[in-house]
Amino acid sequence: MTASPNAPGIHATALVDPQAQLHESVSVGPYTVIGPHVKVGAGTTIGAHCVIEGHTTIGRDNRIFQFNSLGAIPQDKKYAGEPCELVIGDRNTIREFCTFNIGSPGDSGVTRVGDDNWLMAYVHLAHDCVVGNNTIFANNTQLGGHVHVDDWVILGGFTVAHQFVKIGAHSFTAMCSLLFADLPPFVMAQGQPAEARSMNFEGLRRRGFSPDRISAVKAMHKALYRDDLTLDQARARIAELTAKHPESAPDVEMMLSFLAQTSPQRGIVR
């Protein structure tokens, strides 16, 4: 069922367009403004003084804190009013002062956030960003347009990613890191510009990676960063790991797929 603007969970001072589709269980705080093309799923809570506009779809059981701007038009001079979208999945926490823009016609037209993400204060997602599941973005993480972030990524506070950068699963950045190149899966990076420091071994242990899989990740790190190999030589070395570490086959495939998609112009964090 869709809640009416006068539903019990919607504060009397909130301005909810009659055409907006909010599940009857959604709560909306004081002075929040919700536009006509917004859809919000069951159990989601929206704090005070938020603006949710554009063609924005928000899933179930999200916690959206006060002072957020979701679904505004992209900060792209080429944008000419096309009906692009922002799509947010389920069970995300979105803290204060975040800005998530809709997509642009120059890409898929959709800015997308998956499920179970923890997005802290002042996070910015520019147009056409794609964020996977189970990520953590610390305060002031800033993503330029078209950035793709895979599952289980942790970005330290004030991390900045250049447009079109790809960030691989299980990777990690330290505070104030600047990403001008793609960050491969599992890699821990730090610096301005960011450089690879190690692999995210502690994160992998917490997520239940077996010793055999972690050994394979260590071997990937050695091939990419310690043995003075070209990227093509490193890829060939990594492809051989499944023979010695059978459990690691999905991890090896993920790394090889990521490296194959990296453009020579952008390269990877080294």
Side-chain angles (χ1 to χ4, degrees):
M1 296 179 66
T2 299
S4 74
N6 299 317
I10 298 175
H11 194 274
T13 62
L15 299 178
V16 180
D17 192 284
Q19 296 183 59
Q21 299 178 38
L22 278 60
H23 189 272
E24 60 182 1
S25 62
V26 169
S27 66
V28 180
Y31 302 104
T32 283
V33 179
I34 297 179
H37 305 297
V38 174
K39 302 176 182 178
V40 185
T44 289
T45 61
I46 302 169
H49 296 278
C50 293
V51 177
I52 305 178
E53 56 187 310
H55 289 80
T56 295
T57 301
I58 300 172
R60 301 173 59 94
D61 299 318
N62 294 282
R63 297 180 64 203
I64 301 171
F65 283 69
Q66 56 270 24
F67 306 114
N68 282 290
S69 173
L70 308 178
I73 64 172
Q75 298 176 100
D76 183 346
K77 290 184 176 181
K78 299 185 297 298
Y79 181 74
E82 296 86 351
C84 297
E85 298 179 69
L86 168 65
V87 177
I88 297 173
D90 302 333
R91 299 177 302 280
N92 297 288
T93 295
I94 302 172
R95 293 303 304 245
E96 300 82 355
F97 298 102
C98 291
T99 52
F100 301 174
N101 296 158
I102 61 172
S104 72
D107 198 328
S108 66
V110 180
T111 301
R112 191 177 300 276
V113 178
D115 302 330
D116 301 297
N117 298 289
W118 186 273
L119 306 164
M120 299 185 197
Y122 293 95
V123 167
H124 176 63
L125 303 183
H127 57 87
D128 305 291
C129 285
V130 177
V131 177
N133 307 314
N134 297 291
T135 68
I136 299 174
F137 291 9
N139 293 6
N140 287 281
T141 295
Q142 308 285 297
L143 303 187
H146 315 278
V147 171
H148 285 208
V149 182
D150 291 336
D151 298 346
W152 297 103
V153 167
I154 299 177
L155 300 179
F158 294 89
T159 293
V160 177
H162 191 275
Q163 59 186 4
F164 293 102
V165 157
K166 293 181 174 61
I167 302 175
H170 302 284
S171 59
F172 185 108
T173 63
M175 183 175 66
C176 297
S177 296
L178 301 182
L179 293 172
F180 296 117
D182 292 349
L183 182 63
F186 311 113
V187 175
M188 296 182 70
Q190 179 269 336
Q192 302 176 357
E195 297 180 4
R197 305 298 183 185
S198 182
M199 293 298 211
N200 187 17
F201 298 121
E202 182 58 32
L204 301 182
R205 292 187 188 98
R206 292 180 182 182
R207 291 163 204 153
F209 274 55
S210 68
D212 187 65
R213 292 176 71 187
I214 291 175
S215 293
V217 172
K218 290 179 179 179
M220 291 185 210
H221 179 261
K222 191 169 184 290
L224 283 171
Y225 297 110
R226 299 179 66 86
D227 283 353
D228 198 26
L229 303 177
T230 67
L231 187 55
D232 285 342
Q233 290 170 333
R235 289 166 60 184
R237 175 87 61 84
I238 290 168
E240 298 170 355
L241 290 174
T242 52
K244 185 176 180 181
H245 303 282
E247 288 183 50
S248 71
D251 308 320
V252 169
E253 176 57 34
M254 180 170 66
M255 177 65 82
L256 292 175
S257 176
F258 185 94
L259 296 176
Q261 295 176 47
T262 294
S263 72
Q265 293 79 17
R266 187 168 53 250
I268 65 169
V269 170
R270 295 300 290 262

